Every structure is written in C-alpha cells, then in structure tokens.
Amino acid sequence: MMFNFKHLSQVEESYFVHLKFNLWVSGMVLVLSIVSFIHAFLPFLFPRYPYRLKKHLYEKSLNREKRVVKLLRTKSLEKEDQ
C-alpha cells in the first residue's frame, strides 16, 4: 500500500516523534554518504568513521524496527514471517 494514513497511530507515535527520527536518519545517511565519498578518494581521512557511523545508524534503526514490528504483530497488522 502506498498511502497509509493510519501509520502514526499504528506505530503509536506522534507526528513530531516520527518526524524527528526520520530527519535524524536522513541526516545520518547524508553525512555517511559525504564522509564515505571523501574517504574513498582520501583513505587516510576518516579511517574508521564511515564504519562506525553506519554501525550506529544500523543499531538504532534495528532497535526501532524491532519495537515497531512487535507492536504491529500485537495489532495483527504485521505477518509473523516478515
């Protein structure tokens, strides 16, 4: 489904909580992209930073995904095998 106007209530978040997290993710992805691009040409700059940044983004997103999937399953909105 492309549009889900009940999404915020289904994941039990306010508009601003959802906005804050997704702006943070998009900012992190932008920073990761820029840092990785620079590191590709100048490997002595940011030697471990792209990896650490990606790991932080992944862990925070995974924790959030686990919470949301569990919540959606309790509401029978998410299938068990996904």
Coordinates of all heavy atoms in Angstrom, one line a residue:
M1 N 0.9 -1.2 0.0 CA 0.0 0.0 0.0 C 0.9 1.2 0.0 O 1.8 1.3 0.8 CB -0.9 0.0 1.2 CG -1.7 1.2 1.4 SD -2.7 1.3 2.9 CE -3.9 0.0 2.6
M2 N 0.6 2.1 -0.9 CA 1.4 3.3 -1.0 C 1.1 4.4 0.1 O 2.0 4.9 0.7 CB 1.3 3.9 -2.4 CG 2.2 5.0 -2.6 SD 2.5 5.1 -4.4 CE 4.0 5.9 -4.5
F3 N -0.1 4.6 0.4 CA -0.5 5.5 1.4 C -1.2 4.8 2.5 O -2.0 4.0 2.3 CB -1.5 6.6 0.8 CG -1.0 7.4 -0.3 CD1 -1.3 7.2 -1.6 CD2 -0.1 8.5 0.1 CE1 -0.7 8.0 -2.6 CE2 0.4 9.3 -0.9 CZ 0.1 9.0 -2.3
N4 N -0.7 5.1 3.7 CA -1.3 4.6 4.9 C -1.5 5.7 5.9 O -0.6 6.1 6.7 CB -0.4 3.5 5.5 CG -1.0 2.9 6.8 OD1 -2.1 3.2 7.2 ND2 -0.3 1.9 7.3
F5 N -2.7 6.3 5.9 CA -3.0 7.4 6.8 C -3.1 7.1 8.2 O -3.2 7.9 9.1 CB -4.2 8.2 6.3 CG -4.0 8.8 4.9 CD1 -4.6 8.3 3.8 CD2 -3.2 9.9 4.8 CE1 -4.3 8.8 2.5 CE2 -3.0 10.5 3.5 CZ -3.6 10.0 2.4
K6 N -3.1 5.8 8.5 CA -3.2 5.3 9.9 C -1.8 4.9 10.5 O -1.7 4.4 11.6 CB -4.1 4.1 10.0 CG -5.6 4.5 9.7 CD -6.4 3.2 9.8 CE -7.9 3.6 9.4 NZ -8.7 2.4 9.5
H7 N -0.8 5.1 9.7 CA 0.6 4.7 10.1 C 1.0 5.2 11.5 O 1.5 4.4 12.3 CB 1.6 5.1 9.0 CG 3.0 4.8 9.3 ND1 3.5 3.5 9.5 CD2 4.0 5.6 9.6 CE1 4.7 3.6 9.8 NE2 5.1 4.8 9.9
L8 N 0.8 6.5 11.7 CA 1.3 7.0 13.0 C 0.6 6.4 14.2 O 1.2 6.1 15.2 CB 1.1 8.6 13.0 CG 2.1 9.3 12.1 CD1 1.8 10.8 12.1 CD2 3.5 9.1 12.4
S9 N -0.7 6.2 14.1 CA -1.5 5.6 15.2 C -1.1 4.1 15.3 O -1.1 3.6 16.4 CB -3.0 5.8 15.0 OG -3.4 5.1 13.8
Q10 N -0.8 3.5 14.2 CA -0.5 2.0 14.2 C 0.9 1.8 14.9 O 1.0 0.9 15.7 CB -0.4 1.5 12.8 CG -1.8 1.3 12.2 CD -1.7 0.9 10.7 OE1 -0.7 1.1 10.1 NE2 -2.8 0.4 10.2
V11 N 1.8 2.7 14.7 CA 3.1 2.6 15.4 C 3.2 3.4 16.7 O 4.2 3.4 17.3 CB 4.3 3.0 14.5 CG1 4.4 2.1 13.2 CG2 4.2 4.5 14.0
E12 N 2.1 4.0 17.1 CA 1.9 4.7 18.3 C 3.0 5.8 18.5 O 3.7 5.8 19.5 CB 1.9 3.7 19.5 CG 0.7 2.8 19.5 CD 0.6 1.8 20.6 OE1 1.5 1.9 21.5 OE2 -0.3 1.0 20.6
E13 N 3.1 6.6 17.5 CA 4.0 7.7 17.6 C 3.3 9.0 17.2 O 2.3 9.0 16.4 CB 5.2 7.6 16.6 CG 6.1 6.5 17.0 CD 7.3 6.4 16.1 OE1 7.3 6.9 15.0 OE2 8.3 5.8 16.5
S14 N 3.7 10.1 17.8 CA 3.2 11.4 17.3 C 3.9 11.8 16.0 O 4.9 11.3 15.7 CB 3.4 12.5 18.4 OG 4.8 12.8 18.5
Y15 N 3.3 12.8 15.4 CA 3.8 13.3 14.1 C 5.3 13.8 14.4 O 6.2 13.5 13.6 CB 3.0 14.4 13.6 CG 3.5 15.1 12.4 CD1 3.4 14.5 11.1 CD2 4.3 16.3 12.5 CE1 3.9 15.1 10.0 CE2 4.8 16.9 11.3 CZ 4.6 16.3 10.1 OH 5.1 16.9 9.0
F16 N 5.5 14.5 15.5 CA 6.8 15.1 15.7 C 7.9 14.1 16.1 O 9.0 14.2 15.8 CB 6.7 16.2 16.7 CG 6.0 17.4 16.1 CD1 4.7 17.7 16.5 CD2 6.5 18.2 15.1 CE1 3.9 18.7 15.9 CE2 5.9 19.3 14.6 CZ 4.5 19.5 14.9
V17 N 7.5 13.0 16.9 CA 8.4 12.0 17.2 C 8.9 11.2 15.9 O 10.1 11.0 15.7 CB 7.8 11.0 18.2 CG1 8.6 9.7 18.3 CG2 7.6 11.6 19.6
H18 N 7.9 11.0 15.1 CA 8.2 10.3 13.8 C 9.0 11.2 12.9 O 10.0 10.7 12.3 CB 6.9 10.0 13.1 CG 7.0 8.9 12.0 ND1 7.2 9.2 10.7 CD2 6.9 7.6 12.1 CE1 7.2 8.1 10.0 NE2 7.1 7.1 10.9
L19 N 8.7 12.5 12.8 CA 9.5 13.4 12.1 C 10.9 13.5 12.6 O 11.9 13.5 11.8 CB 8.8 14.8 12.2 CG 9.5 16.0 11.4 CD1 9.4 15.8 9.9 CD2 8.9 17.3 11.9
K20 N 11.1 13.6 13.9 CA 12.4 13.8 14.5 C 13.3 12.6 14.1 O 14.4 12.8 13.7 CB 12.3 13.9 16.0 CG 13.6 14.1 16.7 CD 13.4 14.2 18.2 CE 14.7 14.1 18.9 NZ 14.6 14.1 20.4
F21 N 12.8 11.4 14.3 CA 13.6 10.2 14.0 C 13.9 10.1 12.5 O 15.1 9.9 12.1 CB 12.9 8.9 14.4 CG 13.7 7.7 14.1 CD1 14.8 7.3 14.8 CD2 13.4 6.9 13.0 CE1 15.5 6.2 14.6 CE2 14.1 5.8 12.6 CZ 15.2 5.4 13.4
N22 N 13.0 10.4 11.6 CA 13.3 10.2 10.2 C 14.1 11.3 9.7 O 14.9 11.1 8.7 CB 11.9 10.1 9.4 CG 11.3 8.8 9.6 OD1 11.8 7.8 9.0 ND2 10.4 8.6 10.5
L23 N 14.1 12.5 10.2 CA 15.0 13.6 9.9 C 16.4 13.2 10.3 O 17.4 13.5 9.6 CB 14.6 14.9 10.5 CG 13.4 15.6 9.8 CD1 13.1 16.9 10.5 CD2 13.7 15.9 8.3
W24 N 16.5 12.6 11.5 CA 17.8 12.1 12.0 C 18.4 11.1 11.1 O 19.6 11.2 10.7 CB 17.6 11.6 13.4 CG 18.9 11.0 14.0 CD1 19.9 11.7 14.6 CD2 19.3 9.6 14.0 NE1 21.0 10.8 14.9 CE2 20.6 9.6 14.5 CE3 18.8 8.5 13.5 CZ2 21.3 8.4 14.7 CZ3 19.5 7.3 13.6 CH2 20.7 7.2 14.2
V25 N 17.6 10.1 10.7 CA 18.1 9.1 9.7 C 18.5 9.7 8.4 O 19.6 9.4 8.0 CB 17.0 8.0 9.5 CG1 17.4 7.1 8.3 CG2 16.7 7.2 10.7
S26 N 17.7 10.6 7.9 CA 18.1 11.2 6.6 C 19.4 12.0 6.7 O 20.3 12.0 5.8 CB 17.0 12.0 6.0 OG 16.7 13.1 6.8
G27 N 19.6 12.7 7.9 CA 20.8 13.4 8.1 C 22.0 12.5 8.3 O 23.1 12.8 7.7
M28 N 21.8 11.4 9.0 CA 22.9 10.5 9.2 C 23.3 9.8 7.8 O 24.5 9.7 7.5 CB 22.5 9.3 10.1 CG 22.3 9.8 11.6 SD 23.9 10.2 12.3 CE 24.5 8.6 12.6
V29 N 22.3 9.5 7.0 CA 22.6 8.9 5.7 C 23.4 9.9 4.8 O 24.3 9.6 4.1 CB 21.3 8.4 5.0 CG1 21.6 8.1 3.5 CG2 20.8 7.3 5.7
L30 N 23.0 11.2 4.9 CA 23.7 12.2 4.1 C 25.1 12.4 4.6 O 26.0 12.4 3.8 CB 22.9 13.6 4.3 CG 23.5 14.8 3.5 CD1 23.6 14.5 2.0 CD2 22.7 16.0 3.9
V31 N 25.3 12.5 5.9 CA 26.7 12.6 6.5 C 27.5 11.3 6.1 O 28.7 11.5 5.7 CB 26.6 12.8 8.0 CG1 28.0 12.6 8.6 CG2 26.0 14.1 8.3
L32 N 26.9 10.2 6.2 CA 27.6 8.9 5.9 C 28.0 8.9 4.4 O 29.1 8.5 4.1 CB 26.7 7.7 6.2 CG 27.3 6.4 5.9 CD1 28.6 6.1 6.6 CD2 26.3 5.3 6.2
S33 N 27.1 9.4 3.6 CA 27.4 9.5 2.1 C 28.6 10.4 1.8 O 29.5 10.1 1.1 CB 26.2 9.9 1.4 OG 26.4 10.1 0.0
I34 N 28.6 11.6 2.4 CA 29.6 12.6 2.2 C 31.0 12.1 2.7 O 32.0 12.1 2.1 CB 29.3 13.9 2.8 CG1 28.1 14.5 2.0 CG2 30.4 14.9 2.8 CD1 27.4 15.7 2.7
V35 N 30.9 11.6 4.0 CA 32.2 11.1 4.6 C 32.7 9.9 3.8 O 33.9 9.8 3.6 CB 31.9 10.7 6.1 CG1 33.1 9.9 6.6 CG2 31.7 11.9 6.9
S36 N 31.9 9.0 3.4 CA 32.3 7.8 2.6 C 32.9 8.2 1.3 O 33.9 7.7 0.8 CB 31.2 6.8 2.4 OG 30.8 6.3 3.6
F37 N 32.3 9.2 0.6 CA 32.8 9.7 -0.7 C 34.2 10.3 -0.5 O 35.1 10.0 -1.2 CB 31.8 10.8 -1.2 CG 32.2 11.3 -2.5 CD1 31.9 10.6 -3.7 CD2 32.9 12.5 -2.7 CE1 32.2 11.1 -4.9 CE2 33.3 13.0 -3.9 CZ 32.9 12.3 -5.1
I38 N 34.4 11.1 0.5 CA 35.7 11.7 0.8 C 36.7 10.6 1.1 O 37.8 10.6 0.6 CB 35.6 12.7 2.0 CG1 34.8 13.9 1.5 CG2 37.0 13.2 2.4 CD1 34.4 14.9 2.7
H39 N 36.3 9.6 2.0 CA 37.2 8.5 2.4 C 37.6 7.7 1.2 O 38.7 7.2 1.1 CB 36.5 7.7 3.4 CG 37.3 6.5 3.8 ND1 38.4 6.6 4.7 CD2 37.2 5.2 3.5 CE1 38.9 5.4 4.9 NE2 38.2 4.5 4.2
A40 N 36.7 7.6 0.2 CA 37.1 6.8 -1.0 C 38.3 7.3 -1.7 O 39.1 6.6 -2.2 CB 35.9 6.7 -1.9
F41 N 38.4 8.6 -1.8 CA 39.5 9.3 -2.5 C 40.7 9.6 -1.6 O 41.8 9.6 -2.1 CB 39.0 10.6 -3.1 CG 38.1 10.4 -4.3 CD1 36.7 10.5 -4.1 CD2 38.6 10.0 -5.6 CE1 35.9 10.3 -5.2 CE2 37.7 9.8 -6.6 CZ 36.4 9.9 -6.4
L42 N 40.4 9.8 -0.3 CA 41.5 10.1 0.6 C 41.3 9.2 1.8 O 40.8 9.6 2.9 CB 41.4 11.6 1.1 CG 41.4 12.6 -0.1 CD1 41.0 14.0 0.5 CD2 42.7 12.7 -0.7
P43 N 41.8 7.9 1.7 CA 41.5 6.9 2.7 C 42.1 7.2 4.1 O 41.7 6.7 5.1 CB 42.1 5.6 2.1 CG 42.7 6.0 0.8 CD 42.4 7.4 0.5
F44 N 43.1 8.1 4.1 CA 43.7 8.5 5.4 C 42.8 9.4 6.2 O 43.1 9.6 7.4 CB 45.1 9.1 5.1 CG 45.1 10.2 4.1 CD1 44.8 11.5 4.5 CD2 45.4 10.0 2.8 CE1 44.8 12.6 3.6 CE2 45.3 11.0 1.9 CZ 45.1 12.3 2.3
L45 N 41.8 10.0 5.5 CA 40.8 10.8 6.3 C 39.7 9.9 6.7 O 39.2 9.1 5.9 CB 40.3 11.9 5.4 CG 41.3 13.0 5.0 CD1 40.6 14.0 4.1 CD2 41.8 13.7 6.2
F46 N 39.2 10.1 7.9 CA 38.1 9.3 8.4 C 38.3 7.8 8.3 O 37.4 7.1 7.7 CB 36.8 9.7 7.7 CG 36.5 11.1 7.5 CD1 36.5 11.7 6.3 CD2 36.3 11.9 8.6 CE1 36.2 13.1 6.1 CE2 36.1 13.3 8.5 CZ 36.1 13.8 7.2
P47 N 39.4 7.3 8.8 CA 39.7 5.8 8.5 C 38.7 4.9 9.0 O 38.4 3.9 8.4 CB 41.1 5.6 9.2 CG 41.2 6.8 10.1 CD 40.4 7.9 9.6
R48 N 38.0 5.1 10.1 CA 37.0 4.2 10.6 C 35.7 4.8 10.8 O 34.7 4.2 11.2 CB 37.5 3.6 12.0 CG 38.7 2.8 12.0 CD 38.6 1.4 11.5 NE 37.8 0.6 12.3 CZ 37.1 -0.4 11.9 NH1 37.2 -0.8 10.6 NH2 36.4 -1.1 12.7
Y49 N 35.6 6.1 10.5 CA 34.3 6.8 10.7 C 33.2 6.3 9.9 O 32.1 6.2 10.5 CB 34.6 8.3 10.5 CG 33.5 9.2 11.0 CD1 33.4 9.4 12.4 CD2 32.6 9.8 10.2 CE1 32.4 10.2 12.9 CE2 31.6 10.6 10.7 CZ 31.5 10.8 12.1 OH 30.5 11.6 12.6
P50 N 33.3 6.0 8.6 CA 32.1 5.5 7.9 C 31.6 4.2 8.5 O 30.4 4.1 8.6 CB 32.7 5.3 6.5 CG 33.8 6.2 6.3 CD 34.4 6.3 7.7
Y51 N 32.5 3.3 8.9 CA 32.0 2.1 9.5 C 31.3 2.3 10.8 O 30.2 1.8 11.1 CB 33.2 1.2 9.7 CG 32.9 0.0 10.6 CD1 32.2 -1.1 10.1 CD2 33.3 0.0 11.9 CE1 31.9 -2.2 10.9 CE2 32.9 -1.1 12.8 CZ 32.2 -2.2 12.2 OH 31.9 -3.2 13.0
R52 N 31.9 3.2 11.7 CA 31.2 3.5 13.0 C 29.9 4.2 12.8 O 28.9 3.9 13.5 CB 32.2 4.3 13.9 CG 33.4 3.5 14.3 CD 34.2 4.2 15.5 NE 34.2 5.6 15.5 CZ 35.2 6.3 15.0 NH1 36.3 5.8 14.6 NH2 35.2 7.7 15.1
L53 N 29.8 5.1 11.9 CA 28.6 5.8 11.6 C 27.5 4.9 11.1 O 26.4 4.9 11.5 CB 28.9 6.9 10.6 CG 27.8 8.0 10.5 CD1 27.6 8.7 11.8 CD2 28.3 9.0 9.4
K54 N 27.9 4.0 10.2 CA 26.9 3.0 9.6 C 26.5 2.1 10.7 O 25.3 1.8 10.8 CB 27.6 2.2 8.5 CG 26.7 1.2 7.9 CD 27.4 0.2 7.1 CE 28.4 -0.7 7.8 NZ 27.9 -1.9 8.5
K55 N 27.4 1.6 11.6 CA 27.0 0.7 12.6 C 26.0 1.4 13.6 O 25.0 0.8 14.0 CB 28.3 0.3 13.4 CG 28.0 -0.7 14.5 CD 29.3 -1.2 15.1 CE 29.0 -2.1 16.2 NZ 30.2 -2.4 17.1
H56 N 26.3 2.6 14.0 CA 25.4 3.4 14.9 C 24.0 3.5 14.3 O 23.0 3.3 14.9 CB 26.0 4.7 15.2 CG 25.1 5.6 16.1 ND1 24.9 5.3 17.4 CD2 24.5 6.7 15.9 CE1 24.1 6.2 18.0 NE2 23.8 7.1 17.0
L57 N 23.9 3.9 13.0 CA 22.7 4.1 12.3 C 21.9 2.7 12.2 O 20.7 2.7 12.5 CB 22.9 4.6 10.9 CG 21.7 4.7 10.0 CD1 20.7 5.7 10.5 CD2 22.2 5.2 8.6
Y58 N 22.6 1.7 11.9 CA 22.0 0.3 11.8 C 21.5 -0.1 13.2 O 20.3 -0.6 13.2 CB 23.1 -0.7 11.3 CG 22.5 -2.1 11.3 CD1 21.7 -2.5 10.3 CD2 22.9 -3.0 12.3 CE1 21.2 -3.8 10.3 CE2 22.4 -4.3 12.3 CZ 21.6 -4.7 11.3 OH 21.1 -6.0 11.3
E59 N 22.2 0.0 14.2 CA 21.8 -0.4 15.5 C 20.6 0.3 16.0 O 19.6 -0.2 16.5 CB 22.9 -0.3 16.6 CG 24.0 -1.4 16.3 CD 25.2 -1.1 17.2 OE1 25.3 -0.1 17.9 OE2 26.1 -2.0 17.2
K60 N 20.6 1.7 15.9 CA 19.4 2.5 16.3 C 18.2 2.1 15.5 O 17.1 2.0 16.0 CB 19.8 3.9 16.2 CG 18.8 4.8 16.9 CD 19.4 6.2 17.2 CE 18.4 7.0 18.0 NZ 19.0 8.2 18.5
S61 N 18.4 2.0 14.2 CA 17.2 1.6 13.3 C 16.7 0.2 13.6 O 15.5 0.0 13.6 CB 17.7 1.7 11.8 OG 18.0 3.0 11.5
L62 N 17.6 -0.7 13.9 CA 17.2 -2.1 14.2 C 16.4 -2.1 15.5 O 15.3 -2.8 15.5 CB 18.4 -3.0 14.3 CG 18.1 -4.5 14.4 CD1 17.3 -5.0 13.2 CD2 19.4 -5.3 14.6
N63 N 16.8 -1.4 16.5 CA 16.1 -1.4 17.7 C 14.7 -0.8 17.5 O 13.7 -1.3 18.1 CB 16.8 -0.5 18.8 CG 18.1 -1.2 19.3 OD1 18.2 -2.4 19.2 ND2 19.0 -0.4 19.8
R64 N 14.6 0.2 16.7 CA 13.3 0.8 16.4 C 12.4 -0.1 15.6 O 11.2 -0.3 15.9 CB 13.5 2.1 15.7 CG 12.2 2.9 15.4 CD 12.6 4.2 14.6 NE 11.4 4.9 14.3 CZ 10.9 5.9 15.1 NH1 11.5 6.2 16.2 NH2 9.8 6.6 14.7
E65 N 13.0 -0.8 14.6 CA 12.3 -1.7 13.8 C 11.7 -2.9 14.7 O 10.5 -3.3 14.5 CB 13.1 -2.3 12.7 CG 12.4 -3.3 11.8 CD 13.3 -3.9 10.8 OE1 14.5 -3.8 10.9 OE2 12.7 -4.6 9.9
K66 N 12.5 -3.4 15.6 CA 12.0 -4.5 16.5 C 10.8 -4.0 17.3 O 9.8 -4.8 17.4 CB 13.1 -4.9 17.4 CG 14.2 -5.7 16.7 CD 15.3 -6.1 17.7 CE 16.4 -6.9 17.1 NZ 17.5 -7.2 18.0
R67 N 10.9 -2.8 17.8 CA 9.8 -2.3 18.6 C 8.5 -2.1 17.7 O 7.4 -2.5 18.1 CB 10.1 -0.9 19.2 CG 9.0 -0.3 20.0 CD 9.2 1.1 20.4 NE 9.2 2.0 19.3 CZ 8.1 2.5 18.7 NH1 6.9 2.2 19.1 NH2 8.2 3.4 17.7
V68 N 8.7 -1.6 16.5 CA 7.5 -1.4 15.6 C 6.9 -2.7 15.2 O 5.7 -2.9 15.2 CB 7.9 -0.5 14.5 CG1 6.8 -0.4 13.4 CG2 8.2 1.0 14.9
V69 N 7.7 -3.6 14.8 CA 7.3 -4.9 14.3 C 6.5 -5.6 15.4 O 5.4 -6.2 15.2 CB 8.4 -5.8 13.7 CG1 8.0 -7.2 13.5 CG2 8.9 -5.2 12.4
K70 N 7.1 -5.6 16.6 CA 6.4 -6.2 17.8 C 5.0 -5.6 18.0 O 4.0 -6.3 18.2 CB 7.3 -6.1 19.0 CG 6.7 -6.8 20.2 CD 7.6 -6.7 21.4 CE 7.0 -7.3 22.6 NZ 7.9 -7.2 23.8
L71 N 5.0 -4.3 17.9 CA 3.7 -3.6 18.1 C 2.7 -3.9 17.0 O 1.5 -4.2 17.3 CB 4.0 -2.1 18.1 CG 2.9 -1.1 18.4 CD1 2.3 -1.3 19.8 CD2 3.4 0.3 18.2
L72 N 3.2 -3.9 15.8 CA 2.3 -4.3 14.7 C 1.8 -5.7 14.8 O 0.6 -6.0 14.4 CB 2.9 -4.0 13.3 CG 3.2 -2.5 13.0 CD1 4.0 -2.4 11.7 CD2 2.0 -1.7 13.0
R73 N 2.6 -6.6 15.2 CA 2.2 -8.0 15.4 C 1.1 -8.1 16.4 O 0.2 -8.9 16.3 CB 3.4 -8.9 15.7 CG 4.2 -9.2 14.5 CD 5.3 -10.1 14.8 NE 6.1 -10.3 13.6 CZ 7.4 -10.8 13.6 NH1 8.0 -11.1 14.7 NH2 8.0 -10.9 12.5
T74 N 1.2 -7.4 17.5 CA 0.2 -7.5 18.6 C -1.1 -6.9 18.1 O -2.2 -7.3 18.6 CB 0.6 -6.7 19.8 OG1 0.8 -5.3 19.5 CG2 1.9 -7.3 20.4
K75 N -1.1 -6.0 17.1 CA -2.3 -5.5 16.5 C -2.7 -6.3 15.3 O -3.6 -5.9 14.5 CB -2.1 -4.0 16.1 CG -1.8 -3.1 17.3 CD -1.6 -1.7 16.8 CE -1.4 -0.8 18.0 NZ -1.3 0.6 17.6
S76 N -2.0 -7.4 15.0 CA -2.3 -8.2 13.8 C -2.2 -7.4 12.5 O -2.9 -7.7 11.5 CB -3.6 -8.9 13.9 OG -3.7 -9.7 15.0
L77 N -1.2 -6.5 12.4 CA -1.0 -5.7 11.2 C 0.3 -6.1 10.5 O 0.6 -5.6 9.4 CB -0.9 -4.2 11.6 CG -2.2 -3.6 12.2 CD1 -2.0 -2.2 12.7 CD2 -3.4 -3.7 11.1
E78 N 1.0 -7.0 11.1 CA 2.3 -7.5 10.5 C 2.3 -9.0 10.6 O 2.0 -9.6 11.6 CB 3.5 -6.9 11.3 CG 4.8 -7.3 10.8 CD 5.3 -6.4 9.7 OE1 4.7 -5.4 9.5 OE2 6.3 -6.8 9.1
K79 N 2.7 -9.6 9.5 CA 2.7 -11.1 9.4 C 4.0 -11.6 10.2 O 5.0 -10.9 10.2 CB 2.8 -11.6 8.0 CG 1.5 -11.3 7.2 CD 1.6 -11.8 5.8 CE 0.3 -11.4 5.1 NZ 0.4 -11.8 3.7
E80 N 3.9 -12.8 10.8 CA 4.9 -13.3 11.6 C 6.2 -13.6 10.7 O 7.3 -13.6 11.2 CB 4.5 -14.6 12.2 CG 3.5 -14.4 13.3 CD 4.1 -13.8 14.6 OE1 5.3 -14.0 14.9 OE2 3.3 -13.0 15.2
D81 N 6.0 -14.0 9.5 CA 7.2 -14.4 8.7 C 8.0 -13.2 8.0 O 8.9 -13.5 7.4 CB 6.7 -15.4 7.5 CG 5.7 -14.7 6.6 OD1 5.1 -13.7 7.0 OD2 5.6 -15.3 5.5
Q82 N 7.6 -12.0 8.3 CA 8.3 -10.9 7.7 C 9.4 -10.4 8.5 O 9.5 -10.5 9.7 CB 7.3 -9.7 7.4 CG 6.3 -10.1 6.3 CD 5.4 -8.9 6.0 OE1 5.4 -7.9 6.8 NE2 4.7 -9.0 5.0

